[in-house]
Amino acid sequence: MIASLPMYDRPETAAANDRLWSEIAARLEEAPEALTRGGDPWEHWLSPDLVFSQTCGFPYRARLHDKVTLIGTPDYDLPHCPPGHYNSVLVIRADDPRETLAEFSDAPFAYNDAMSQSGWAAPVTHAANEGVTLSPALETGGHAASAAAVAEGRADLAAIDALSWHYMLAYGDFTGKLRELARTEPTPALPYIAAKGADRDALFAAVSDAIAALPPDLQQTLHLTRLVEIAPDDYLAVPTPDAPPDRRG
């Protein structure tokens, strides 16, 4: 059996994630004792032994929606976002004199992954709606790496999901070199999933009760307030822009 929380698991949140999982596992008939860390998250998400994990909205709508069970969506109580939604923060260097997204049309853009809702799809869609073309210059492999690429001058702009940006501001060592330019429109946040055929109602109840049982300080660490229901069709309705050319680096 597999349980994993790969999306917001960092040294500062690991103990809180472990406690969240222990609370969930205690409410299930069968569950692995500990979270699986490391390895390819796609192997977890597509495994018939998946008890619990979290994915991104883009992978869910593009490849997973008919292969997994959608349990529910965590609500991170993010500013200017409805329950269970999040958005992307467009960041630039603090000393960059440009003030509008239009001024960054065709500027080098760093993105974490071509199948990231917050790092690729949301900012490209947001920019297109404003008549701006983003120029993908660098695929970094992670939000922190994208932010670092901007801070170091290897790109002029990056999009960081709002909760990751919160953690970078709290724990990062280079965010003083960056500033926020804009935020995208909210879309459904990163959903919790299980293997196809799993008992969705039982899992939803277990996760909801586990979140409520977390001590307030751990809820605050995870920025986690509750579990909400967002329909699969709401994820599938989010626009998907064309993939960028390969810009790994």
Side-chain angles (χ1 to χ4, degrees):
M1 293 182 291
I2 297 171
S4 63
L5 280 168
M7 308 310 289
Y8 298 115
D9 198 38
R10 51 185 296 150
E12 299 86 357
T13 63
N17 277 328
D18 286 338
R19 175 65 179 271
L20 173 62
W21 172 243
S22 70
E23 294 286 352
I24 296 171
R27 291 165 170 80
L28 299 177
E29 291 185 5
E30 288 188 288
E33 182 176 340
L35 291 169
T36 296
R37 288 187 165 93
D40 183 354
W42 283 98
E43 293 183 3
H44 302 170
W45 298 336
L46 292 168
S47 172
D49 298 319
L50 180 66
V51 175
F52 180 77
S53 191
Q54 185 175 31
T55 188
C56 174
F58 194 162
Y60 176 76
R61 70 175 179 272
R63 291 179 54 186
L64 295 173
H65 67 274
D66 59 348
K67 299 179 176 65
V68 299
T69 297
L70 177 64
I71 300 170
T73 304
D75 178 25
Y76 295 114
D77 193 25
L78 294 168
H80 312 299
C81 291
H85 287 63
Y86 78 144
N87 57 7
S88 302
V89 182
L90 298 172
V91 298
I92 62 175
R93 281 184 296 282
D95 60 0
D96 195 309
R98 290 171 284 188
E99 294 292 342
T100 67
L101 183 59
E103 294 173 276
F104 286 84
S105 193
D106 295 320
F109 172 67
Y111 60 98
N112 58 328
D113 187 276
M115 199 174 279
S116 169
Q117 174 59 28
S118 57
W120 173 253
V124 170
T125 300
H126 178 84
N129 289 340
E130 296 197 6
V132 176
T133 300
L134 296 183
S135 179
L138 184 65
E139 181 178 354
T140 66
H143 280 305
S146 295
V150 175
E152 295 165 5
R154 293 181 287 121
D156 287 353
L157 181 71
I160 314 300
D161 98 62
L163 184 56
S164 293
W165 181 239
H166 166 82
Y167 286 134
M168 287 183 201
L169 290 174
Y171 307 122
D173 57 2
F174 58 81
T175 52
K177 298 178 181 179
L178 302 172
R179 65 182 174 92
E180 181 178 328
L181 177 70
R183 294 199 177 209
T184 66
E185 291 299 311
T187 56
L190 288 71
Y192 293 142
I193 59 172
K196 189 172 183 177
D199 186 339
R200 183 264 174 189
D201 291 343
L203 284 163
F204 188 94
V207 176
S208 293
D209 290 347
I211 292 171
L214 284 177
D217 62 322
L218 297 187
Q219 290 183 358
Q220 184 174 5
T221 295
L222 297 177
H223 228 261
L224 185 58
T225 63
R226 55 178 168 159
L227 191 65
V228 300
E229 297 187 57
I230 295 179
D233 285 349
D234 290 338
Y235 280 96
L236 300 182
V238 176
T240 299
D242 292 337
D246 191 1
R247 293 289 188 272
R248 298 172 189 268

